[in-house]
Amino acid sequence: MEQQQDFVQIRNAQKAFGSLEVLKDISLTVARGQIVAIIGPSGSGKSTLLRAVNDLDPLTGGEVWLDGVQVNKSLHYRKYEKHINEMRQHIGMVFQHFNLFPHMTARENVTMAPKLLKGLSAEGADALAEEQLDKVGMLDRIDYYPSQLSGGQKQRVAIARALAMKPKLMLFDEATSALDPELVDEVNLVMKKLAEEHMTMIIVTHEMDFAAAVCDRVLFMDQGVVVEEGPPEVIFRNPEKERTRAFLRKHLENAR
Amino acid sequence: MGLDFTVIPGYLDIVLLGGLWTVGITVAAALLSFFGGIVFAVIALYAPWIIRQPFRLIEWVFMGTPLLLQLFLIYFGLVQIGIDLPAFVAGVIGLGLHFAVYNSELIQTAILSVDKGQMEAARTVGLSRVQALRKVVVPQAVRAVIPPIGNNMIALLKDSALVSVIGVSELTLSAQRAIGATYRPFEFYLLAAALYYVINLCMEAVQRRIERRIAISR
């Protein structure tokens, strides 16, 4: 399969709150089907960068492109709203705290957006909910409310919700950080499955083992810049930069 | 002259009919105040300045003046500018908008306290701001304030007696009519009080059922 090399492009991303620069001229290209992990200490700007991809945290400078279309186009307010809502349908996002809609069942969480935005019929929506929830192993909880689910189950439903829009790109913002340790694996398993299906993914994570096992490329960020990037074997086993080494050492000590 | 409840059966039908009118006006006004409260809350929080300002005037009128005066304004006042509403409709509008303003205050606070991750999650699947409010934020906010809104609805039931002054034959006015015919105020006012109490109990039962149903989805 020929890869589209510049499927996702971040060009010279900058983000500043007043004089505080959170992102300093970051560029990143992700090929179609590639999986990129972003690691780094808290406050390094990794989540901000991820949230800039679907313009949840708009950049103050730079461009984001997906599949040949600029996501953060400069348009008039109304036109921009229409454009970004359309773009976001192609970009699934999974949050640290799941953000499931508590007043809807798993089924309704999954089908709400497709029904509203794509005019899916009731039968079509049911089939979609079953398909997506089956994929994340939650079919048997299809009519449960989020309050009746464990953290890991919630996150799996949240992934199904994002997948239901048939996105071209998935963003994971510390998807397992809020989970009890014994619930992390079930979510990682679902993410691995997506990787095997060649979903393009950008993953912000604290889990180095998972990143090493699943990702094609790892970015180490610190203080708003990409310090080092490369294949996981290099970044985790043999990093060039002292800052990367220090971070990984500290992380390893904390994990013990 | 002691109490003599044997006078009641002869006028029971009038008073019960009045009770039905009270139920009707309360239910209609409660629905108006509930949905009006949601609309007012969304306007207060999100509408542009030009729409918000006239709304604030309405809010001030309904919060800062007596309900009785508001009913007079709607029923007797609006006729002068060509809006001649039936008494029942005027009563529903007056009571409904009056309590819509109070409900709006509750719902506004609740909307602001919905976790901002909810709006973000809705926006990331492609919903517009308005769609996200309608499908995700407002339904959660409303669920959170069902108990205090229920209290407002009990107050609404009690204040519905005021629409007797614009001639709606609700429970209080019906009791007065029976009294006019029998000169037995104590008996009929007690009967009216008992009926208000029964309606009250029914409303509380309905509220409890709603609360139970939404408990799981919070």
Side-chain angles (χ1 to χ4, degrees):
Chain A
M1 191 171 82
E2 205 198 331
Q3 278 191 333
Q4 189 180 342
Q5 288 305 326
D6 54 358
F7 190 59
V8 182
Q9 270 197 306
I10 299 171
R11 296 181 190 158
N12 309 103
Q14 291 165 27
K15 171 96 181 170
F17 297 101
S19 63
L20 177 71
E21 282 185 89
V22 190
L23 300 176
K24 302 168 191 165
D25 197 27
I26 291 183
S27 294
L28 165 68
T29 305
V30 184
R32 191 194 283 269
Q34 218 176 31
I35 299 155
V36 174
I38 306 176
I39 60 170
S42 48
S44 59
K46 54 192 194 304
S47 278
T48 311
L49 179 66
L50 191 77
R51 289 161 59 89
V53 173
N54 63 359
D55 208 47
L56 218 49
D57 272 346
L59 292 173
T60 43
E63 296 176 359
V64 179
W65 291 72
L66 171 66
D67 202 9
V69 185
Q70 189 179 349
V71 177
N72 61 343
K73 253 188 214 172
S74 85
L75 288 169
H76 235 281
Y77 177 73
R78 262 167 211 277
K79 276 195 177 156
Y80 180 72
E81 276 292 298
K82 201 165 171 268
H83 163 75
I84 195 67
N85 292 338
E86 162 84 30
M87 288 306 294
R88 282 181 179 146
Q89 295 187 24
H90 304 300
I91 308 173
M93 187 162 197
V94 177
F95 300 85
Q96 182 178 1
H97 295 290
F98 332 124
N99 298 351
L100 280 183
F101 308 131
H103 58 302
M104 299 181 192
T105 60
R107 181 198 302 272
E108 291 161 346
N109 265 279
V110 171
T111 57
M112 186 268 284
K115 272 163 104 172
L116 191 64
L117 302 173
K118 295 181 172 173
L120 213 61
S121 67
E123 301 82 49
D126 276 340
L128 179 72
E130 281 161 24
E131 177 199 351
Q132 296 303 337
L133 287 168
D134 189 31
K135 198 169 188 172
V136 298
M138 289 295 294
L139 189 55
D140 57 334
R141 296 283 190 276
I142 191 163
D143 288 315
Y144 283 47
Y145 283 95
S147 62
Q148 299 168 301
L149 302 174
S150 74
Q153 292 174 329
K154 281 183 204 173
Q155 194 60 298
R156 281 146 66 196
V157 173
I159 293 172
R161 173 177 71 183
L163 292 175
M165 291 303 287
K166 314 277 181 196
K168 299 174 178 175
L169 167 69
M170 285 285 287
L171 308 174
F172 291 85
D173 191 2
E174 301 194 20
T176 55
S177 297
L179 296 175
D180 293 334
E182 72 271 19
L183 302 176
V184 168
D185 279 348
E186 58 185 270
V187 174
N188 281 346
L189 221 64
V190 170
M191 289 169 70
K192 265 189 194 140
K193 206 163 142 192
L194 283 179
E196 283 157 15
E197 294 170 10
H198 305 290
M199 172 64 81
T200 314
M201 300 196 259
I202 305 177
I203 301 170
V204 168
T205 184
H206 285 297
E207 280 188 78
M208 305 306 156
D209 292 339
F210 179 73
V214 173
C215 298
D216 302 298
R217 203 142 53 94
V218 178
L219 257 74
F220 171 63
M221 276 181 74
D222 193 14
Q223 294 175 353
V225 295
V226 176
V227 176
E228 193 168 354
E229 69 165 293
E233 310 85 83
V234 177
I235 298 290
F236 291 123
R237 299 234 184 88
N238 202 6
E240 244 173 57
K241 300 279 186 349
E242 177 50 36
R243 257 152 93 189
T244 317
R245 260 178 251 155
F247 169 76
L248 290 172
R249 213 180 306 127
K250 212 169 159 194
H251 195 86
L252 217 63
E253 279 165 20
N254 290 346
R256 275 203 194 115
Chain B
M1 184 164 112
L3 288 179
D4 176 13
F5 287 101
T6 57
V7 294
I8 286 178
Y11 293 88
L12 193 60
D13 52 347
I14 293 176
V15 180
L16 284 178
L17 188 65
L20 281 181
W21 277 100
T22 288
V23 170
I25 204 162
T26 300
V27 168
L31 288 173
L32 177 61
S33 79
F34 180 72
F35 292 106
I38 294 172
V39 172
F40 284 4
V42 170
I43 289 174
L45 290 176
Y46 302 106
W49 185 87
I50 192 86
I51 298 171
R52 230 167 43 231
Q53 290 312 309
F55 160 74
R56 285 178 63 145
L57 181 70
I58 297 174
E59 195 181 48
W60 180 83
V61 169
F62 279 98
M63 268 201 148
T65 65
L67 176 55
L68 189 61
L69 180 81
Q70 293 158 21
L71 291 171
F72 285 154
L73 272 172
I74 293 168
Y75 187 58
F76 300 114
L78 289 182
V79 177
Q80 278 178 271
I81 56 168
I83 305 174
D84 189 2
L85 297 169
F88 179 81
V89 175
V92 167
I93 291 174
L95 273 172
L97 291 184
H98 183 84
F99 282 93
V101 171
Y102 284 96
N103 287 344
S104 159
E105 299 276 309
L106 293 169
I107 295 166
Q108 280 178 51
T109 315
I111 286 176
L112 292 177
S113 62
V114 170
D115 182 54
K116 77 174 177 35
Q118 292 291 312
M119 176 57 96
E120 285 186 352
R123 297 305 305 272
T124 53
V125 283
L127 267 64
S128 71
R129 202 173 147 85
V130 173
Q131 287 170 326
L133 280 174
R134 185 162 57 88
K135 287 286 192 180
V136 174
V137 177
V138 170
Q140 287 180 57
V142 169
R143 281 169 165 77
V145 289
I146 289 291
I149 284 182
N151 294 341
N152 279 353
M153 297 304 96
I154 301 286
L156 188 154
L157 164 68
K158 293 185 285 186
D159 283 352
S160 73
L162 283 173
V163 301
S164 60
V165 297
I166 56 172
V168 179
S169 308
E170 46 67 70
L171 185 47
T172 302
L173 187 58
S174 305
Q176 278 169 351
R177 291 209 171 117
I179 292 161
T182 59
Y183 303 103
R184 288 279 175 183
F186 208 177
E187 287 85 344
F188 282 102
Y189 281 141
L190 276 178
L191 175 63
L195 287 174
Y196 275 116
Y197 182 65
V198 170
I199 299 169
N200 217 317
L201 285 181
C202 295
M203 285 175 71
E204 278 173 27
V206 170
Q207 190 188 344
R208 268 199 303 278
R209 279 190 67 154
I210 295 172
E211 279 174 34
R212 254 206 311 277
R213 272 190 59 178
I214 63 174
I216 199 172
S217 56
R218 288 268 315 267

